[in-house]
Amino acid sequence: MPPHDDLRTIDGDVYVSPRYLAATTAIGDPGLAPLLNLGWEPEHDDLGNAYVHAPDRKVRLGYLPEGEDDGLWRINAYKDPFGPPVWGVCFNDSCPTEFVTAFTTALAEAYEQGPNAYLATPKPGSADRDPFLAVVPLINRGWQIDHPRWGVFAIQSADGLAGLEFTTGRLDLESELTTRDARWQLWAGTSIDRPAWYATASTDTPVALLRAVTECVSDPAPLPRWREETYSYVEGMAQLTPVIPPRPSAPTPLDIQRAAARRPAALPASSVPRWSTTSRSALPGSRR
């Protein structure tokens, strides 16, 4: 059990590891909270979708359980509130909620710093904006670099059940915002074509926001889930460990008998035959 966890506050009865084989908690509040705590304005439509707007309307988040596709979370940023998005990120409806929360937490921090942070375009060779910085947490935790096909740089977890792909060359921004053909794609499962979950980010997504997600995804600490809620982890792949270890069972009569058999025999007490006239030898002692 992670040392910081309090058994009374854990929302789950099992830990899922590795954490990228967890899935959604089906609760959007944790992902929305960092932005709502800044005073961003929430709205809802008649279908149950939620929308959160920055005060200057230059960042918008949609939580879309009744959306047209499986893109549950869509976050876009704008230079002009009435212009096209500068960057966009999507987390699908199976993505672990903790990864979304890592992104929105970093986004809230960047927004407080101003447009130079939340609109910071990646810049190769820069000390703090080089795209390579987004993959450093993965490399530091044992993920392995790969080149699965031409024009794609990839890095995979050691077990091969999660990966991050970076597509090189020119991409169409509209496709990046509306399809999975984006600059960045993070996924888990046995195939990127049929992932257990995925997340995408367009070309100009700030590196600091991407790094917050890769830090969270590669964190070795497990995530709590409920065993019966099989949608909340990748069943058959994830390792499940009880949050509260089972108590040792009471010993059976056979266990007691075996334990007694292993006990060393007692030393025989020294004695003198009852009717003997022979005196017992005196024990050595101090002389007077």
Side-chain angles (χ1 to χ4, degrees):
M1 181 182 72
H4 61 279
D5 284 341
D6 183 341
L7 295 178
R8 295 168 297 181
T9 62
I10 295 173
D11 187 12
D13 60 1
V14 293
Y15 283 117
V16 176
S17 58
R19 61 169 42 202
Y20 48 75
L21 293 181
T24 181
T25 60
I27 301 173
D29 291 354
L32 298 172
L35 305 180
L36 295 177
N37 290 341
L38 287 184
W40 289 29
E41 180 183 351
E43 296 179 3
H44 299 81
D45 63 19
D46 296 337
L47 299 177
N49 298 312
Y51 306 88
V52 179
H53 306 274
D56 60 4
R57 299 282 169 153
K58 289 186 178 180
V59 185
R60 305 171 191 169
L61 176 148
Y63 176 66
L64 311 170
E66 299 300 328
E68 297 180 355
D69 54 27
D70 67 346
L72 180 61
W73 300 86
R74 292 190 179 276
I75 305 101
N76 293 338
Y78 306 79
K79 287 183 179 177
D80 181 340
F82 300 100
V86 174
W87 58 259
V89 169
C90 173
F91 297 89
N92 88 322
D93 56 7
S94 297
C95 184
T97 311
E98 291 85 352
F99 303 164
V100 181
T101 303
F103 182 88
T104 55
T105 299
L107 176 59
E109 295 173 355
Y111 187 80
E112 287 192 296
Q113 296 172 27
N116 288 338
Y118 68 82
L119 295 177
T121 303
K123 183 179 179 181
S126 170
D128 57 353
R129 292 162 54 189
D130 192 316
F132 183 74
L133 295 174
V135 306
V136 169
L138 306 179
I139 293 174
N140 288 343
R141 288 168 175 160
W143 290 40
Q144 301 165 355
I145 296 175
D146 189 19
H147 294 281
R149 56 193 181 279
W150 184 86
V152 173
F153 167 87
I155 183 166
Q156 279 198 323
S157 60
D159 59 10
L161 295 178
L164 174 68
E165 290 197 353
F166 176 87
T167 300
T168 61
R170 294 180 62 86
L171 295 175
D172 178 70
L173 178 58
E174 183 176 354
S175 296
E176 287 194 86
L177 298 175
T178 58
T179 73
R180 289 177 59 192
D181 295 329
R183 182 71 63 191
W184 299 89
Q185 184 168 182
L186 183 64
W187 58 279
T190 57
S191 168
I192 191 173
D193 297 320
R194 299 178 62 86
W197 62 263
Y198 71 85
T200 62
S202 69
T203 299
D204 287 338
T205 305
V207 172
L209 306 186
L210 296 171
R211 181 166 180 145
V213 178
T214 57
E215 283 275 9
C216 187
V217 170
S218 60
D219 189 326
L223 295 177
R225 294 292 187 268
W226 296 99
R227 184 184 295 272
E228 292 186 359
E229 296 177 352
T230 55
Y231 66 82
S232 68
Y233 55 89
V234 185
E235 193 173 14
M237 295 186 191
Q239 179 180 341
L240 306 182
T241 306
V243 168
I244 302 178
R247 294 181 179 179
S249 57
T252 65
L254 182 59
D255 292 332
I256 296 174
Q257 183 179 353
R258 287 172 175 167
R262 291 193 297 268
R263 197 172 298 161
L267 294 175
S270 59
S271 61
V272 177
R274 185 175 182 184
W275 302 111
S276 172
T277 58
T278 304
S279 299
R280 178 185 294 178
S281 301
L283 294 176
S286 58
R287 296 184 179 181
R288 297 192 180 186

